[in-house]
Amino acid sequence: MNQGKDSNDTITRRKFITRMTKAGISVAGACALGYALYDPKGPSGALEEATVSVPDFSIPEAGKKMAIIKGADRKETLTKAFNAIGGIETFIKKGDRVLLKVNAAFATPPILSATASPELIARCIELCYKAGAEIVRVTDNPINDPAACFKLSGIAAAAESAGGELMLPRNDFFKSTSVTGGSLIINWPLLYEPMKGMTKLIGIAPVKDHQRSGASMTMKNWYGLLGGQRNIFHQDIHNTIKELAMMVKPTLVILDGTTTMMTNGPTGGAMSDLKDTNTMIVSTDQVAADAFGCTLLGKTVNDLLFISKAAEAGAGTADYESLKPVVV
């Protein structure tokens, strides 16, 4: 290998990240006033409106399915994954209104893998429309300013380019919810408006280390549906993730392990935090998806309490091999 070229590539990449970080600061600054006025439903999370529930978007008749596809090209691995479990037409029908709940939590560039891949999101939108979807909507309630997060992560541009409808959170989009059988998510603000009228729900999340829960994957992704001062849930993070899995019954989950954040999650910030694991997981079972996903982090189900807790609560199975996943 040419050592001089490698050195130049490293410097170029370093400059790129530095410039993107500065761009993030500029974007965040430009949105500062909007974010100052942005309050995802109050300090306590309590609302006076009637309680709502997340609709059941699952398709029991489709059965429990899972695909694990190896490769570095997200467009290719996602397409292969859908084909492996019967084709996207098995899940998305003509006239469906599809909601993509993506991870857009941070105002960071996509190269840092702290958010869902814009390339992956665009491809998913394209495939949904190809299957006959009437509309594909993209949403999340990010930790940082929503406009900055969606812009700098590249998700806003990706959604627009593929014909998706981006729905940023607003105060009046939240309604009170309580998880049946739960003890933590009670009378709490839920990002409900983007779900109204939707017939299918797909969760899209990257595989990441997480300093509190040990990992952030498909079940932790539903955290972005909560409003209020939700940071209090980190005090009991494993049971919170369990309740999130009880709350949401998706059509499918897409777990992107193309690049895995091995350390300093969930934000990362350096290329040294990342590892090319070149794996795409698509499943009807969110617990099974996370059970396999943790292996990309070098962990087991026993290392992540929320997986067994969610399985015990009936949200899915921690024994992903029982689904007889298609591995390509």
Side-chain angles (χ1 to χ4, degrees), residues 116-230:
S117 162
E119 177 186 42
L120 180 62
I121 292 167
R123 183 56 175 161
C124 188
I125 293 172
E126 292 167 358
L127 291 173
C128 286
Y129 279 131
K130 185 177 180 180
E134 177 184 331
I135 188 173
V136 183
R137 181 177 291 167
V138 178
T139 198
D140 189 24
N141 181 30
I143 293 171
N144 301 139
D145 169 62
C149 289
F150 276 97
K151 181 175 182 178
L152 191 56
S153 67
I155 295 174
E160 182 180 357
S161 68
E165 176 190 277
L166 184 63
M167 202 163 185
L168 298 182
R170 293 188 341 212
N171 284 351
D172 58 341
F173 284 178
F174 291 84
K175 303 293 181 184
S176 179
T177 194
S178 294
V179 174
T180 302
S183 60
L184 298 172
I185 304 175
I186 303 296
N187 190 31
W188 200 267
L190 170 73
L191 183 57
Y192 183 70
E193 191 66 23
M195 301 180 198
K196 288 176 65 175
M198 297 293 105
T199 57
K200 301 291 169 61
L201 170 65
I202 299 175
I204 303 179
V207 181
K208 301 192 293 180
D209 169 59
H210 194 283
Q211 63 177 2
R212 293 276 187 167
S213 61
S216 175
M217 296 181 285
T218 67
M219 290 188 281
K220 179 67 168 60
N221 184 39
W222 308 129
Y223 184 82
L225 292 174
L226 301 178
Q229 292 185 345
R230 59 191 179 182

